[in-house]
């Protein structure tokens, strides 16, 4: 978006009186500043200043202890540049505003390698150097629940007043009863340029999934996911609900995933995964092998929170092992059927709680490593992957942190700066969670052991 475009955009939205200028932190949370309308053009054209440490705060928004980005540098402001993505109008609030995405660089002009969006851009640039363009789509699941701030409960139907109490996979009734909410979500997506497609009622009570159209720009696809999550939460509040993208808000119901579908186009626009049959090309197999090779080390980017590992359990519609297969949803990597020209890879590990920029960096970066090294995977898994002998994903948060910290393949995808930041951030969060004693522990043990 150029200076003339932002002038035109402001004329299209005279009701917008302020804009949030935001960067994305490691947890996928947008952080930034609110600027008045008369400063929007200046900020878009000239950028603004914020400390680099804002990208490396924990889930509670607190600085990372002993971070070199805070005390060693005096927590100095550096530069945030507009990404070029048209500002997203926020029209579902009482007073309309907008949100613009920025990314960070140092005062000397070099990109800040700890910025998650920069990490994805670096991976995309490596594809461009090989004459390849990733085409990406996403599927995001979430739950609607009561906004009381305590334990989540399924939101009451606005039609019947009854809470959904059973798994309503592909339920038309749930879709119709919450259609006013879904209509506002789709209207918001249209206003913000988010390519939303089909909505479905998912396995859990009050759970929905909305798919995105394939786009040939992974950065835009990740931007879409970031904006979509914020939009859904905002529209939910408007309707008196809360929306959660936690990976496993209910221990006895399905978790919420963030599935990535991708193919690769060559310089002529040909899908290099298409062999003319259902098996795919050698390049598809190389990509699959790279994903399998890097999966355990990168699990922290797919499952970044303590709650994430409650989703990655056998038989829970989420993968637990390093496996792939054709049309096999029990495997971590699925090769969907359908027209040969649309042959693609589906990566099913990430939860909806993950940072889209880091997830796409891990997925596309792992595939690229396999392509470059011409790796080959083991035979495709047939049948129930849960019941077969495969290497396992990390079963807990601490193991995933350790695997990412010491992973030999992690530097092939992420900068040492980001690798160190994510390990420090997640270690701080783990330490704080480890000091909390749950009510269930007291109920189970207080007067028993």
């Amino acid at each position: 978006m150029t200076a003339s475009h932002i002038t035109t955009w402001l004329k299209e939205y005279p009701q917008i009186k302020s804009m949030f200028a935001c960067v994305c932190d490691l947890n996928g949370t947008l952080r930034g500043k609110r600027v008045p309308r008369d400063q929007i053009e200046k900020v878009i054209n000239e950028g603004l200043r914020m400390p680099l440490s804002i990208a490396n705060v924990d889930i509670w928004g607190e600085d990372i202890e002993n971070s070199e980005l805070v005390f060693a540098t005096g927590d100095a402001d550096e530069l945030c540049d507009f990404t070029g993505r048209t500002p997203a109008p926020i029209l579902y609030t009482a007073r309309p505003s907008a949100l613009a995405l920025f990314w960070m660089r140092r005062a000397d002009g070099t990109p800040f390698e700890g910025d998650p969006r920069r990490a994805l851009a670096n991976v995309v640039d490596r594809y461009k150097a090989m004459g390849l363009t990733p085409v990406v789509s996403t599927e995001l699941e979430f739950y609607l629940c009561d906004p009381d701030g305590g334990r989540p409960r399924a939101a009451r139907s606005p039609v019947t007043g009854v809470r959904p109490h059973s798994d309503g996979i592909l339920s038309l009734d749930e879709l119709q009863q919450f259609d006013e909410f879904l209509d506002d979500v789709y209207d918001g997506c249209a206003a913000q340029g988010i390519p939303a497609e089909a909505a479905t009622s998912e396995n859990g009570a009050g759970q929905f999934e909305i798919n995105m159209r394939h786009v040939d720009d992974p950065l835009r696809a990740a931007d879409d996911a970031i904006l979509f999550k914020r939009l859904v939460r905002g529209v939910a509040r408007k309707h008196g609900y809360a929306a959660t993208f936690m990976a496993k808000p209910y221990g006895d119901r399905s978790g919420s995933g963030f599935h990535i579908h991708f193919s690769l186009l060559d310089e002529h626009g040909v899908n290099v995964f298409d062999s003319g049959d259902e098996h795919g090309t050698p390049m598809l197999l190389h990509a699959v092998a790279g994903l399998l090779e890097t999966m355990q080390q990168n699990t922290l980017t797919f499952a970044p929170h303590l709650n994430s590992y409650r989703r990655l359990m056998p038989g829970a519609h989420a993968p637990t092992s390093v496996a792939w297969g054709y049309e096999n949803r029990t495997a971590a990597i699925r090769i969907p059927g359908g027209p040969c020209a649309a042959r693609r890879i589906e990566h099913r590990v990430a939860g909806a709680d993950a940072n889209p920029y880091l997830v796409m960096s891990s997925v596309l970066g792992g595939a690229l490593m396999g392509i470059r090294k011409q790796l080959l995977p083991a035979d495709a898994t047939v049948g129930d992957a849960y019941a077969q002998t495969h290497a396992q994903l990390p079963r807990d948060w601490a193991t995933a942190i350790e695997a990412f910290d010491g992973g030999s393949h992690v530097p092939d995808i992420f900068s040492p700066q980001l690798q160190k930041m994510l390990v420090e951030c997640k270690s701080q969060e783990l330490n704080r969670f480890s000091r909390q004693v749950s009510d269930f522990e007291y109920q189970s043990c207080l007067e028993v052991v």
Side-chain angles (χ1 to χ4, degrees):
M1 171 174 271
T2 65
S4 60
H5 289 148
I6 189 61
T7 301
T8 301
W9 181 84
L10 284 167
K11 289 179 180 178
E12 291 176 359
Y13 293 98
Q15 73 273 42
I16 289 177
K17 304 302 181 186
S18 63
M19 183 185 77
F20 296 94
C22 303
V23 297
C24 183
D25 73 10
L26 288 177
N27 277 310
T29 300
L30 293 176
R31 302 186 182 275
K33 299 181 179 181
R34 183 181 188 268
V35 297
R37 182 183 177 90
D38 62 4
Q39 294 293 306
I40 290 177
E41 285 191 73
K42 181 177 185 296
V43 167
I44 291 293
N45 293 324
E46 300 178 17
L48 71 164
R49 298 177 67 83
M50 286 191 282
L52 299 180
S53 61
I54 200 67
N56 190 33
V57 293
D58 64 21
I59 196 68
W60 303 281
E62 296 178 3
D63 284 329
I64 304 305
E65 187 176 354
N66 298 321
S67 169
E68 63 183 22
L69 296 176
V70 181
F71 299 108
T73 65
D75 208 17
D77 281 344
E78 299 210 36
L79 303 173
C80 300
D81 297 319
F82 178 52
T83 63
R85 169 74 180 247
T86 302
I90 302 173
L91 306 178
Y92 50 81
T93 53
R95 188 168 187 177
S97 58
L99 187 150
L101 296 174
F102 286 69
W103 51 359
M104 308 189 85
R105 63 183 169 96
R106 298 183 181 275
D108 63 6
T110 57
F112 175 48
E113 292 185 329
D115 184 317
R117 197 175 190 273
R118 297 283 190 191
L120 179 56
N122 288 338
V123 173
V124 173
D125 285 345
R126 289 175 226 158
Y127 274 99
K128 288 180 180 177
M130 295 180 66
L132 296 171
T133 300
V135 178
V136 182
S137 71
T138 63
E139 300 171 350
L140 262 167
E141 296 170 333
F142 61 92
Y143 276 92
L144 285 183
C145 50
D146 277 350
D148 58 13
R151 287 183 175 273
R153 295 182 299 169
R156 293 184 184 276
S157 163
V159 176
T160 67
V162 175
R163 299 184 197 280
H165 59 276
S166 61
D167 294 346
I169 183 67
L170 298 180
S171 168
L172 297 183
D173 287 340
E174 281 197 30
L175 290 173
Q176 290 174 337
Q177 289 173 22
F178 288 92
D179 61 354
E180 290 187 6
F181 161 77
L182 292 170
D183 285 344
D184 279 355
V185 168
Y186 276 96
D187 288 346
C189 286
Q192 296 188 5
I194 300 170
E197 289 193 322
T200 59
S201 172
E202 276 295 319
N203 280 318
Q207 187 185 36
F208 297 92
E209 176 184 277
I210 294 183
N211 301 337
M212 301 296 161
R213 186 169 61 248
H214 286 79
V215 295
D216 60 1
D217 182 351
L219 282 169
R220 183 174 184 88
D223 291 345
D224 288 336
I226 287 286
L227 292 173
F228 176 77
K229 291 172 74 170
R230 189 163 186 86
L231 170 69
V232 167
R233 287 192 288 262
V235 173
R237 285 193 293 270
K238 172 186 172 182
H239 286 265
Y241 313 131
T244 180
F245 290 87
M246 284 181 68
K248 192 79 167 179
Y250 305 102
D252 58 351
R253 296 201 180 278
S254 294
S256 292
F258 176 46
H259 298 164
I260 306 293
H261 292 248
F262 75 98
S263 57
L264 298 176
L265 303 183
D266 65 16
E267 293 170 315
H268 304 290
V270 175
N271 181 0
V272 298
F273 289 165
D274 174 19
S275 62
D277 59 32
E278 69 274 14
H279 295 106
T281 62
M283 188 173 286
L284 180 143
L285 297 179
H286 298 328
V288 167
L291 292 171
L292 299 176
E293 181 73 17
T294 57
M295 189 177 292
Q296 291 167 304
Q297 295 181 13
N298 286 339
T299 295
L300 185 61
T301 65
F302 308 134
H305 306 291
L306 178 65
N307 177 261
S308 306
Y309 295 85
R310 301 187 191 282
R311 171 178 167 267
L312 300 177
M313 301 182 70
H317 299 286
T320 59
S321 61
V322 183
W324 75 288
Y326 292 95
E327 277 294 9
N328 191 337
R329 285 186 169 88
T330 69
I333 304 297
R334 168 179 169 255
I335 310 301
C340 296
R343 188 66 61 233
R344 65 191 186 277
I345 293 171
E346 179 189 16
H347 195 284
R348 299 176 53 80
V349 181
D353 57 341
N355 183 327
Y357 298 115
L358 298 185
V359 171
M360 288 195 195
S361 297
S362 289
V363 170
L364 295 178
L368 184 61
M369 191 199 79
I371 291 169
R372 283 179 162 171
K373 295 184 177 181
Q374 296 190 331
L375 302 178
L376 290 174
D379 291 342
T381 297
V382 178
D384 185 0
Y386 298 119
Q388 300 181 33
T389 302
H390 297 290
Q392 297 294 298
L393 296 174
R395 290 297 180 89
D396 60 78
W397 201 12
T399 303
I401 294 171
E402 183 179 359
F404 188 80
D405 187 22
S408 58
H409 298 307
V410 173
D412 293 334
I413 300 172
F414 295 103
S415 70
Q417 174 85 66
L418 192 144
Q419 183 180 14
K420 182 173 186 289
M421 284 169 52
L422 188 60
V423 168
E424 291 177 346
C425 177
K426 294 298 146 184
S427 296
Q428 178 164 303
E429 293 174 359
L430 172 61
N431 289 338
R432 184 166 174 181
F433 272 104
S434 297
R435 293 193 295 269
Q436 307 303 311
V437 182
S438 70
D439 290 342
F440 186 62
E441 290 177 75
Y442 287 128
Q443 293 165 8
S444 302
C445 302
L446 187 62
E447 296 186 64
V448 177
V449 297

